[in-house]
Amino acid sequence: MSLLTPDFGLLFWMALSFALVFGILAKFGFPVITKAVNERRDYIRQSLDKADEANRTFESVKRKSEELMAEIEKKRQEIIKQATADATLIIRKAEDEAAKRGKEKLDEALRMIEMQKHKAIGEIRTQVALLSVDIAEKILRRRLDDIENHDRLISVFLDEIEDSGIMKN
């Protein structure tokens, strides 16, 4: 017997052992293995489905987030635009109010100047009248020092009064 060529009895027992092990495996082992493989396949399929669903959900959330960010940016631009317009309006109103108040102050100052001018003119006229009376009094005193001048001046005044018609009957 050689080691390389097996004997018929050995082959028989090997075939019988193989068939017996194969039968036991087919009856008890393969269904368990097949069931485990199928469960694993279903678990992997479910995991892939959940991953696809999660990817779709993520893409949806990402798209909504981008839309929301775009909307927020649009609203921010609108708010900035409105705030700029409001600021411009407030500045314009403040400038108008300042111009109005400045004009009122200027008008008031002009009225005060005009009033002071009239008051000063009135005081000047009063002073001129007083000075004129003083000057006239001094001139008359000098002329009236002499009785002859006094009588002549009275005659001149009476003639002027008669010519003006004040003393006509």
Side-chain angles (χ1 to χ4, degrees):
M1 285 212 92
S2 121
L3 286 176
L4 293 177
T5 55
D7 171 0
F8 176 73
L10 181 63
L11 282 177
F12 171 76
W13 287 112
M14 282 178 64
L16 184 67
S17 298
F18 179 75
L20 185 66
V21 170
F22 186 76
I24 292 173
L25 280 176
K27 175 100 175 149
F28 298 109
F30 288 145
V32 172
I33 292 171
T34 306
K35 181 180 174 188
V37 168
N38 287 337
E39 286 176 0
R40 179 73 178 160
R41 183 184 62 222
D42 291 342
Y43 176 75
I44 290 172
R45 187 174 295 134
Q46 288 174 356
S47 295
L48 288 173
D49 290 344
K50 286 180 182 178
D52 286 341
E53 184 180 334
N55 281 336
R56 285 191 299 273
T57 304
F58 175 73
E59 289 297 323
S60 174
V61 168
K62 183 179 174 185
R63 186 175 64 257
K64 286 179 182 177
S65 173
E66 289 172 353
E67 290 172 359
L68 184 61
M69 290 302 290
E71 185 177 329
I72 288 171
E73 180 64 24
K74 182 179 175 184
K75 285 184 180 182
R76 185 182 72 87
Q77 292 295 332
E78 288 175 6
I79 289 170
I80 289 172
K81 183 179 177 182
Q82 184 64 37
T84 303
D86 290 346
T88 303
L89 181 64
I90 289 170
I91 289 170
R92 190 174 302 129
K93 283 182 179 179
E95 288 173 348
D96 292 346
E97 184 67 24
K100 181 181 173 185
R101 287 185 182 175
K103 187 177 183 306
E104 289 173 356
K105 294 278 186 183
L106 181 62
D107 290 345
E108 180 66 25
L110 289 175
R111 280 194 299 274
M112 292 296 290
I113 289 171
E114 190 66 29
M115 189 172 74
Q116 292 294 330
K117 178 179 145 186
H118 287 300
K119 184 178 176 183
I121 289 173
E123 288 177 5
I124 290 172
R125 285 182 179 168
T126 302
Q127 291 295 326
V128 167
L130 289 174
L131 285 174
S132 297
V133 168
D134 284 345
I135 291 172
E137 182 182 346
K138 287 181 182 179
I139 291 173
L140 285 175
R141 279 192 191 161
R142 277 196 185 161
R143 287 191 176 179
L144 295 179
D145 284 344
D146 184 10
I147 291 185
E148 192 177 298
N149 282 339
H150 185 270
D151 289 338
R152 195 174 350 121
L153 189 58
I154 290 174
S155 293
V156 168
F157 283 148
L158 288 175
D159 290 340
E160 285 178 5
I161 290 173
E162 284 178 5
D163 289 341
S164 67
I166 293 177
M167 293 189 60
K168 287 194 176 179
N169 299 357

